[in-house]
Amino acid sequence: MAVDELDTRILRLLLEQPRTSVREYARILGVARGTLQARLDRLERNGVITGTAPVLSPAALGHPVLAFVHIEVTQGHLDDVGDALAAVPEIVEAFSITGGGDLLTRVVARDNAHLEDVIQKLISLPGVVRTRTEVALRERVPYRLLPLVESVGRAAGK
């Protein structure tokens, strides 16, 4: 979906001021509330805006250890393993990937011993051949989309 300059300004506001009302967004942008709501609805319908939930910190929830676990799966069992991963609460994301392994998961844990327990649980899943774990030491670039939104906006303005 192509986003125009107004869409970009809307997305920037949503990212910078997520708790502001639609009425206030419309005032800031100098557009009618109905126009803004129609744009928001279209951005949601087209999958640009995928949620409005708060961003939570696993560390603040008592899970400060972050690891990326690569999982190699027996051929033909990718969907089964993917479904089983969804039942493990410490897995916060999982992706099918190319390269070394079949799945890449983002795993959070209370400590290294807990991480080992989670990995052992993953290894025991039917269809899992092996895992490879990389523990994150420090976040260098936090998850962000504003630079991408600004880049798309600049391209739309040309």
Side-chain angles (χ1 to χ4, degrees):
M1 176 196 148
V3 296
D4 63 16
E5 193 173 338
L6 178 56
D7 292 333
T8 301
R9 291 172 53 214
I10 292 168
L11 293 171
R12 172 189 264 284
L13 270 177
L14 288 173
L15 291 169
E16 291 178 339
Q17 301 176 36
R19 297 176 61 118
T20 302
S21 69
V22 171
R23 180 182 304 235
E24 182 63 11
Y25 288 145
R27 186 194 67 72
I28 292 168
L29 294 169
V31 298
R33 187 193 172 288
T35 300
L36 178 64
Q37 190 62 59
R39 292 290 185 119
L40 288 170
D41 292 344
R42 182 176 53 84
L43 290 166
E44 286 180 17
R45 196 172 44 254
N46 290 327
V48 175
I49 298 173
T50 59
T52 57
V55 177
L56 305 178
S57 166
L61 291 170
H63 289 68
V65 176
L66 171 63
F68 298 93
V69 180
H70 299 258
I71 303 173
E72 188 177 322
V73 177
T74 304
Q75 216 167 17
H77 289 84
L78 189 61
D79 289 338
D80 297 332
V81 173
D83 291 344
L85 295 177
V88 179
E90 295 86 359
I91 294 179
V92 295
E93 288 183 297
F95 300 92
S96 301
I97 60 169
T98 62
D102 300 298
L103 293 164
L104 175 63
T105 63
R106 181 188 303 237
V107 178
V108 295
R110 292 184 302 272
D111 52 34
N112 287 344
H114 181 221
L115 176 60
E116 182 182 9
D117 293 342
V118 173
I119 293 166
Q120 291 302 318
K121 185 186 302 184
L122 298 179
I123 291 169
S124 70
L125 294 175
V128 172
V129 176
R130 73 178 49 86
T131 65
R132 180 174 53 88
T133 303
E134 298 164 349
V135 176
L137 300 176
R138 180 181 297 157
E139 182 178 68
R140 297 296 179 163
V141 178
Y143 182 80
R144 72 220 174 106
L145 289 174
L146 187 54
L148 177 63
V149 167
E150 290 172 340
S151 174
V152 169
R154 281 192 300 275
K158 291 182 180 177

